Amino acid sequence: MRTLTDLADLVALVESGGSDLFVRWSQGPDADAGGCSRDGLTGVRLPGLSANPLAVEPWWGDRSLKLWVARRLHDYRHLPERRGPGVRPWVLTGTEAGRGPDNEPLVQCREPVAWISDGVLRQCEELVREHDGQWGSLDREK
């Protein structure tokens, strides 16, 4: 699987990829071969992988696609710390199979597309920082 090393490449992928692109934070497609996540509270097996859509929502309007993508990654930047070694973001195409306990999409992976490099994550952080405001990750413990 290729690795995206520039935010512009990820933005181009989202521009061409339509509504079936998602980002997943895990050890990768091989580790996720079982095709399901588990609820952290109960351990219940969920009907897909927890992932977040990269498709732009209509309410975003004509704002920057680059900022949209940066936010999608920035919001979950805490996950490698929380989930352990080897956890990193990757892009997949998939179909929603339901919603998880945090209302996140549960996705049936059709095809792994690309890893997202640490360099892209740094670019996202810089872009979000430039826009100031009260943004932070969705890490509940911070």
Side-chain angles (χ1 to χ4, degrees):
M1 186 162 67
R2 69 183 170 139
T3 299
L4 300 173
T5 58
D6 191 282
L7 180 54
D9 295 334
L10 180 54
V11 170
L13 181 65
V14 172
E15 280 179 317
S16 66
S19 62
D20 66 344
L21 283 175
F22 296 84
V23 64
R24 167 122 172 106
W25 294 77
S26 74
Q27 292 179 344
D30 292 340
D32 290 337
C36 74
S37 294
R38 291 195 177 272
D39 175 24
L41 178 65
T42 64
V44 169
R45 187 180 165 125
L46 302 171
L49 298 169
S50 295
N52 291 96
L54 288 171
V56 178
E57 291 290 333
W59 59 263
W60 188 252
D62 62 354
R63 292 172 186 87
S64 164
L65 178 59
K66 187 175 181 181
L67 183 58
W68 172 265
V69 172
R71 183 177 186 176
R72 301 307 292 158
L73 291 171
H74 179 80
D75 285 347
Y76 294 93
R77 71 185 189 278
H78 63 280
L79 291 178
E81 285 178 19
R82 292 301 235 19
R83 293 190 178 160
V87 171
R88 56 194 263 213
W90 55 283
V91 178
L92 62 113
T93 59
T95 306
E96 269 192 59
R99 291 281 171 165
D102 292 328
N103 201 34
E104 77 280 14
L106 300 172
V107 178
Q108 295 294 321
C109 178
R110 279 197 310 274
E111 181 181 2
V113 176
W115 290 105
I116 299 171
S117 73
D118 288 343
V120 171
L121 297 178
R122 283 190 295 276
Q123 290 174 354
C124 292
E125 189 169 337
E126 289 170 17
L127 185 58
V128 168
R129 191 178 307 124
E130 287 173 14
H131 283 79
D132 205 19
Q134 299 300 314
W135 253 348
S137 76
L138 297 179
D139 187 355
R140 291 185 178 132
E141 293 187 12
K142 291 188 180 188

